[in-house]
Amino acid sequence: MLIKRPPDIPSSEITSRNLFENRRAFLARAGVGLAAGAALWHGVPEAARATSTSTALATTPSAFSTTEALTDYKSVTTYNNFYEFGTDKADPARNAGRMVVRPWTLRVEGLAGRPRTFDIDALLRLAPLEERIYRMRCVEGWSMVIPWVGFPLAALLKDVDPLGSAKYVEFLTHYDPEIMTRRPVLEWPYGEGLRMDEALHPLTLLAVGLYGETLPNQNGAPVRLVVPWKYGFKSAKSIVTIRLTEKQPATAWNRAAPQEYGFYSNVNPEVSHPRWSQATERRIGELRRRPTLMFNGYADQVASLYQGMDLRKHY
Ligand code: MTE
């Protein structure tokens, strides 16, 4: 991102995808697992599991899921961006185990009628957990298909009763210099933001798990944002504060390089990053690049949010 465009993932880092790439096999597992409370991922090899503390989550499937082949569990959990734990793709899996994710509280504050602090267990009970299989596109040019577990952010926002003056939602993430980098790679804590209508959109997910289990630390445990039509950096990890605001909040990447990373950051093959094209992407596990889709393939659901806006200007 800021540093330099990384080379494509070396083939040595890509594990065989035969276990998880077949969507039908995945659904068959899900079908079996649902009744039993969804301990679905006993198929994940123990050595590939990031933490021994992951627990199975009961989920229902979602109509919003893509039917595309899943990216294998190992790539999803070892090829990460979580700069607080280092800028190498392998650093988060190596270092994020130091983060204590329970107990954990998420404060929802600002322009809300009922501001509230949620304990992580209360958060897990706030709304039914869904499995949402989403395409994810990183601004660096790679993409994955990830079976997230979570619920719409809208459920949380409605619970705190946003005031009419609340136009934006700001997300602030955990920062502990004792266990995270002290280097000013970005301004810490990592901050992100959405317009209120984007935050309330049914595709916007508050994720608490992936592959049927609680999130591994390197993927943003215990709670993170997932906004599938935007570049991956909008999906803030390990969130501690959600603030409803009147003004557009500052964001970590926009602060660091405003000419390169705008507030909206919608996936757009027609608007190049100043240093590289966004027209194609490499799906992790595939050799050939594929064309990038407008809004990452979610145009039918989200294009109307941006009607009348110049997306070259509001990148
Ligand atoms: N959240 C925090 N707190 N710190 C980060 O460095 N990186 C972002 C986003 N959320 C980041 C973050 C970027 S650049 C991407 S591409 C995604 O997380 C990566 O999510 P993943 O590692 O689960 O695929």
Side-chain angles (χ1 to χ4, degrees), residues 211-242:
Y211 265 109
E213 297 182 339
T214 49
L215 284 171
N217 285 6
Q218 61 271 36
N219 293 91
V223 56
R224 68 173 289 171
L225 190 62
V226 174
V227 194
W229 71 94
K230 293 178 179 281
Y231 292 117
F233 64 88
K234 296 300 281 183
S235 295
K237 294 177 167 182
S238 304
I239 301 170
V240 290
T241 306
I242 295 181

Side-chain angles (χ1 to χ4, degrees), residues 1 80-84 173 190 219 224 232-233 235 237:
M1 299 195 44
N80 300 105
N81 280 335
F82 199 161
Y83 279 11
E84 291 88 328
T173 73
Y190 192 97
N219 293 91
R224 68 173 289 171
F233 64 88
S235 295
K237 294 177 167 182

Side-chain angles (χ1 to χ4, degrees), residues 153-208:
L153 175 65
L156 178 86
L157 294 177
K158 283 178 185 152
D159 193 76
V160 301
D161 193 16
L163 302 182
S165 51
K167 304 282 186 250
Y168 292 90
V169 184
E170 180 178 22
F171 304 86
L172 295 171
T173 73
H174 182 57
Y175 180 63
D176 178 355
E178 296 300 319
I179 58 158
M180 293 167 164
T181 187
R182 290 167 193 248
R183 287 170 49 214
V185 186
L186 292 167
E187 237 175 78
W188 314 117
Y190 192 97
E192 257 308 334
L194 295 173
R195 216 169 55 187
M196 184 58 84
D197 58 345
E198 298 176 319
L200 290 174
H201 193 280
L203 280 176
T204 303
L205 204 67
L206 209 51
V208 295

